CSV table of all heavy atoms in Angstrom, one decimal:
chain,number,residue,atom,x,y,z
A,109,SER,N,47.9,-31.6,-98.3
A,109,SER,CA,47.2,-32.1,-97.0
A,109,SER,C,47.8,-33.5,-96.6
A,109,SER,O,48.0,-33.7,-95.5
A,109,SER,CB,45.7,-32.1,-97.2
A,109,SER,OG,45.3,-33.0,-98.1
A,110,SER,N,48.1,-34.3,-97.6
A,110,SER,CA,48.7,-35.6,-97.3
A,110,SER,C,50.1,-35.4,-96.8
A,110,SER,O,50.6,-36.2,-95.9
A,110,SER,CB,48.7,-36.5,-98.5
A,110,SER,OG,47.4,-36.8,-99.0
A,111,LEU,N,50.9,-34.5,-97.3
A,111,LEU,CA,52.2,-34.2,-96.8
A,111,LEU,C,52.2,-33.8,-95.4
A,111,LEU,O,53.0,-34.2,-94.6
A,111,LEU,CB,52.9,-33.1,-97.7
A,111,LEU,CG,53.4,-33.6,-99.0
A,111,LEU,CD1,53.9,-32.4,-99.8
A,111,LEU,CD2,54.5,-34.6,-98.9
A,112,VAL,N,51.2,-32.9,-95.0
A,112,VAL,CA,51.1,-32.5,-93.6
A,112,VAL,C,50.8,-33.7,-92.7
A,112,VAL,O,51.4,-33.9,-91.6
A,112,VAL,CB,50.0,-31.4,-93.5
A,112,VAL,CG1,49.7,-31.1,-92.0
A,112,VAL,CG2,50.5,-30.2,-94.2
A,113,ARG,N,49.9,-34.6,-93.1
A,113,ARG,CA,49.5,-35.7,-92.3
A,113,ARG,C,50.7,-36.7,-92.2
A,113,ARG,O,51.0,-37.3,-91.2
A,113,ARG,CB,48.3,-36.4,-92.9
A,113,ARG,CG,47.0,-35.6,-92.7
A,113,ARG,CD,45.8,-36.3,-93.1
A,113,ARG,NE,46.0,-36.7,-94.5
A,113,ARG,CZ,45.0,-36.8,-95.3
A,113,ARG,NH1,43.8,-36.6,-94.9
A,113,ARG,NH2,45.2,-37.1,-96.6
A,114,LEU,N,51.5,-36.9,-93.3
A,114,LEU,CA,52.7,-37.7,-93.3
A,114,LEU,C,53.7,-37.1,-92.3
A,114,LEU,O,54.3,-37.9,-91.6
A,114,LEU,CB,53.3,-37.8,-94.7
A,114,LEU,CG,52.7,-38.8,-95.6
A,114,LEU,CD1,53.2,-38.6,-97.1
A,114,LEU,CD2,52.9,-40.2,-95.2
A,115,SER,N,53.9,-35.8,-92.4
A,115,SER,CA,54.8,-35.1,-91.4
A,115,SER,C,54.5,-35.4,-90.0
A,115,SER,O,55.3,-35.7,-89.2
A,115,SER,CB,54.8,-33.6,-91.8
A,115,SER,OG,55.5,-33.0,-90.8
A,116,ASP,N,53.1,-35.3,-89.7
A,116,ASP,CA,52.7,-35.5,-88.4
A,116,ASP,C,52.8,-37.0,-88.0
A,116,ASP,O,53.3,-37.3,-86.9
A,116,ASP,CB,51.3,-35.1,-88.2
A,116,ASP,CG,51.0,-33.6,-88.3
A,116,ASP,OD1,52.0,-32.9,-88.2
A,116,ASP,OD2,49.9,-33.2,-88.6
A,117,LEU,N,52.5,-37.9,-88.9
A,117,LEU,CA,52.6,-39.4,-88.6
A,117,LEU,C,54.0,-39.8,-88.3
A,117,LEU,O,54.3,-40.5,-87.4
A,117,LEU,CB,52.0,-40.1,-89.8
A,117,LEU,CG,52.0,-41.6,-89.7
A,117,LEU,CD1,51.0,-42.0,-88.6
A,117,LEU,CD2,51.6,-42.3,-91.0
A,118,TYR,N,55.0,-39.4,-89.2
A,118,TYR,CA,56.3,-39.8,-89.0
A,118,TYR,C,57.2,-38.9,-88.2
A,118,TYR,O,58.4,-39.1,-88.1
A,118,TYR,CB,57.0,-40.0,-90.4
A,118,TYR,CG,56.5,-41.2,-91.1
A,118,TYR,CD1,55.7,-41.1,-92.3
A,118,TYR,CD2,56.7,-42.5,-90.7
A,118,TYR,CE1,55.3,-42.1,-93.0
A,118,TYR,CE2,56.3,-43.6,-91.3
A,118,TYR,CZ,55.5,-43.5,-92.5
A,118,TYR,OH,55.1,-44.6,-93.1
A,119,LYS,N,56.6,-37.8,-87.8
A,119,LYS,CA,57.3,-36.8,-87.0
A,119,LYS,C,58.6,-36.3,-87.7
A,119,LYS,O,59.7,-36.2,-87.1
A,119,LYS,CB,57.7,-37.3,-85.5
A,119,LYS,CG,56.4,-37.7,-84.8
A,119,LYS,CD,56.6,-38.2,-83.4
A,119,LYS,CE,55.4,-38.5,-82.6
A,119,LYS,NZ,54.2,-38.9,-83.2
A,120,ILE,N,58.4,-35.9,-88.9
A,120,ILE,CA,59.4,-35.3,-89.8
A,120,ILE,C,58.9,-33.9,-90.2
A,120,ILE,O,57.8,-33.8,-90.4
A,120,ILE,CB,59.6,-36.2,-91.1
A,120,ILE,CG1,60.1,-37.6,-90.7
A,120,ILE,CG2,60.7,-35.6,-91.9
A,120,ILE,CD1,60.1,-38.6,-91.8
A,121,SER,N,59.8,-33.0,-90.3
A,121,SER,CA,59.4,-31.7,-90.6
A,121,SER,C,59.0,-31.7,-92.1
A,121,SER,O,59.4,-32.4,-92.9
A,121,SER,CB,60.6,-30.7,-90.4
A,121,SER,OG,61.6,-30.9,-91.4
A,122,LEU,N,58.1,-30.8,-92.4
A,122,LEU,CA,57.6,-30.6,-93.8
A,122,LEU,C,58.8,-30.2,-94.7
A,122,LEU,O,58.8,-30.6,-95.8
A,122,LEU,CB,56.5,-29.5,-93.8
A,122,LEU,CG,55.1,-30.0,-93.5
A,122,LEU,CD1,54.2,-28.8,-93.4
A,122,LEU,CD2,54.6,-31.0,-94.5
A,123,ASP,N,59.7,-29.5,-94.1
A,123,ASP,CA,60.8,-29.0,-95.0
A,123,ASP,C,61.6,-30.2,-95.4
A,123,ASP,O,62.0,-30.3,-96.6
A,123,ASP,CB,61.7,-28.1,-94.1
A,123,ASP,CG,62.8,-27.4,-94.9
A,123,ASP,OD1,62.5,-27.0,-96.0
A,123,ASP,OD2,64.0,-27.4,-94.5
A,124,ASP,N,61.8,-31.2,-94.6
A,124,ASP,CA,62.6,-32.4,-95.0
A,124,ASP,C,61.8,-33.2,-96.0
A,124,ASP,O,62.4,-33.7,-96.9
A,124,ASP,CB,62.9,-33.3,-93.8
A,124,ASP,CG,63.9,-32.7,-92.8
A,124,ASP,OD1,64.7,-31.8,-93.3
A,124,ASP,OD2,64.0,-33.1,-91.7
A,125,LEU,N,60.5,-33.3,-95.8
A,125,LEU,CA,59.7,-34.0,-96.8
A,125,LEU,C,59.7,-33.4,-98.1
A,125,LEU,O,59.8,-34.0,-99.2
A,125,LEU,CB,58.2,-34.2,-96.3
A,125,LEU,CG,57.9,-35.2,-95.3
A,125,LEU,CD1,56.5,-35.1,-94.8
A,125,LEU,CD2,58.1,-36.6,-95.9
A,126,LEU,N,59.6,-32.0,-98.1
A,126,LEU,CA,59.5,-31.3,-99.4
A,126,LEU,C,60.8,-31.2,-100.1
A,126,LEU,O,60.8,-30.9,-101.4
A,126,LEU,CB,58.9,-29.9,-99.1
A,126,LEU,CG,57.5,-29.9,-98.7
A,126,LEU,CD1,57.1,-28.4,-98.3
A,126,LEU,CD2,56.6,-30.4,-99.8
A,127,ARG,N,61.9,-31.4,-99.5
A,127,ARG,CA,63.2,-31.3,-100.2
A,127,ARG,C,63.6,-32.5,-100.9
A,127,ARG,O,64.7,-32.6,-101.5
A,127,ARG,CB,64.3,-30.9,-99.2
A,127,ARG,CG,64.0,-29.5,-98.6
A,127,ARG,CD,65.3,-28.9,-98.1
A,127,ARG,NE,65.1,-27.6,-97.5
A,127,ARG,CZ,65.1,-26.4,-98.2
A,127,ARG,NH1,65.4,-26.5,-99.5
A,127,ARG,NH2,64.9,-25.3,-97.6
A,128,ASP,N,62.7,-33.5,-100.9
A,128,ASP,CA,63.0,-34.7,-101.7
A,128,ASP,C,63.1,-34.4,-103.2
A,128,ASP,O,62.1,-33.8,-103.7
A,128,ASP,CB,61.9,-35.7,-101.4
A,128,ASP,CG,62.2,-37.1,-102.2
A,128,ASP,OD1,63.2,-37.2,-102.8
A,128,ASP,OD2,61.3,-37.9,-102.1
A,129,GLU,N,64.2,-34.7,-103.8
A,129,GLU,CA,64.4,-34.3,-105.3
A,129,GLU,C,63.3,-34.8,-106.2
A,129,GLU,O,62.8,-34.2,-107.1
A,129,GLU,CB,65.7,-34.7,-105.8
A,129,GLU,CG,66.9,-33.9,-105.3
A,129,GLU,CD,66.8,-32.4,-105.7
A,129,GLU,OE1,66.5,-32.2,-106.9
A,129,GLU,OE2,66.9,-31.5,-104.9
A,130,ARG,N,62.9,-36.1,-106.0
A,130,ARG,CA,61.8,-36.6,-106.8
A,130,ARG,C,60.5,-35.9,-106.7
A,130,ARG,O,59.8,-35.6,-107.7
A,130,ARG,CB,61.6,-38.1,-106.5
A,130,ARG,CG,62.7,-39.0,-106.8
A,130,ARG,CD,62.4,-40.4,-106.3
A,130,ARG,NE,62.1,-40.4,-104.9
A,130,ARG,CZ,61.5,-41.4,-104.3
A,130,ARG,NH1,61.2,-42.5,-104.9
A,130,ARG,NH2,61.2,-41.4,-103.0
A,131,LEU,N,60.2,-35.4,-105.4
A,131,LEU,CA,59.0,-34.7,-105.2
A,131,LEU,C,59.1,-33.3,-105.9
A,131,LEU,O,58.1,-32.9,-106.5
A,131,LEU,CB,58.8,-34.6,-103.7
A,131,LEU,CG,57.4,-34.0,-103.3
A,131,LEU,CD1,56.3,-34.9,-103.7
A,131,LEU,CD2,57.4,-33.8,-101.8
A,132,LEU,N,60.2,-32.7,-105.7
A,132,LEU,CA,60.4,-31.3,-106.3
A,132,LEU,C,60.3,-31.4,-107.9
A,132,LEU,O,59.7,-30.5,-108.6
A,132,LEU,CB,61.7,-30.7,-105.9
A,132,LEU,CG,61.8,-30.3,-104.5
A,132,LEU,CD1,63.3,-29.9,-104.2
A,132,LEU,CD2,60.9,-29.2,-104.2
A,133,LYS,N,60.9,-32.5,-108.5
A,133,LYS,CA,60.8,-32.6,-109.9
A,133,LYS,C,59.4,-32.9,-110.4
A,133,LYS,O,58.9,-32.3,-111.4
A,133,LYS,CB,61.7,-33.8,-110.4
A,133,LYS,CG,63.2,-33.4,-110.4
A,133,LYS,CD,64.0,-34.6,-110.9
A,133,LYS,CE,65.5,-34.3,-110.7
A,133,LYS,NZ,66.3,-35.4,-111.0
A,134,SER,N,58.7,-33.6,-109.6
A,134,SER,CA,57.3,-33.9,-109.9
A,134,SER,C,56.4,-32.7,-109.9
A,134,SER,O,55.6,-32.4,-110.8
A,134,SER,CB,56.7,-35.0,-109.0
A,134,SER,OG,55.3,-35.1,-109.1
A,135,TYR,N,56.6,-31.8,-108.9
A,135,TYR,CA,55.9,-30.6,-108.8
A,135,TYR,C,56.3,-29.6,-109.9
A,135,TYR,O,55.4,-28.9,-110.5
A,135,TYR,CB,56.0,-29.9,-107.5
A,135,TYR,CG,55.3,-30.7,-106.3
A,135,TYR,CD1,55.8,-31.1,-105.2
A,135,TYR,CD2,54.0,-31.1,-106.6
A,135,TYR,CE1,55.2,-31.7,-104.2
A,135,TYR,CE2,53.2,-31.8,-105.6
A,135,TYR,CZ,53.9,-32.1,-104.4
A,135,TYR,OH,53.2,-32.8,-103.5
A,136,ASP,N,57.5,-29.6,-110.4
A,136,ASP,CA,57.9,-28.8,-111.5
A,136,ASP,C,57.2,-29.2,-112.7
A,136,ASP,O,56.7,-28.4,-113.5
A,136,ASP,CB,59.4,-28.8,-111.7
A,136,ASP,CG,60.2,-28.1,-110.6
A,136,ASP,OD1,59.6,-27.2,-109.9
A,136,ASP,OD2,61.4,-28.3,-110.4
A,137,VAL,N,57.1,-30.5,-113.0
A,137,VAL,CA,56.4,-31.0,-114.1
A,137,VAL,C,54.9,-30.7,-114.1
A,137,VAL,O,54.3,-30.3,-115.1
A,137,VAL,CB,56.6,-32.6,-114.2
A,137,VAL,CG1,55.7,-33.2,-115.3
A,137,VAL,CG2,58.0,-32.9,-114.6
A,138,GLN,N,54.3,-30.8,-112.9
A,138,GLN,CA,52.9,-30.5,-112.8
A,138,GLN,C,52.7,-29.0,-113.0
A,138,GLN,O,51.7,-28.6,-113.7
A,138,GLN,CB,52.4,-30.8,-111.3
A,138,GLN,CG,52.2,-32.2,-111.1
A,138,GLN,CD,51.8,-32.5,-109.7
A,138,GLN,OE1,51.6,-31.6,-108.9
A,138,GLN,NE2,51.6,-33.8,-109.4
Side-chain angles (χ1 to χ4, degrees):
S109 63
S110 297
L111 283 172
V112 171
R113 291 185 301 208
L114 280 170
S115 170
D116 292 342
L117 181 66
Y118 288 113
K119 296 182 181 24
I120 300 172
S121 72
L122 278 173
D123 191 45
D124 290 341
L125 279 175
L126 291 174
R127 291 200 184 270
D128 181 4
E129 282 301 313
R130 293 178 304 165
L131 187 63
L132 291 174
K133 286 179 184 175
S134 170
Y135 288 131
D136 286 342
V137 168
Q138 286 177 2

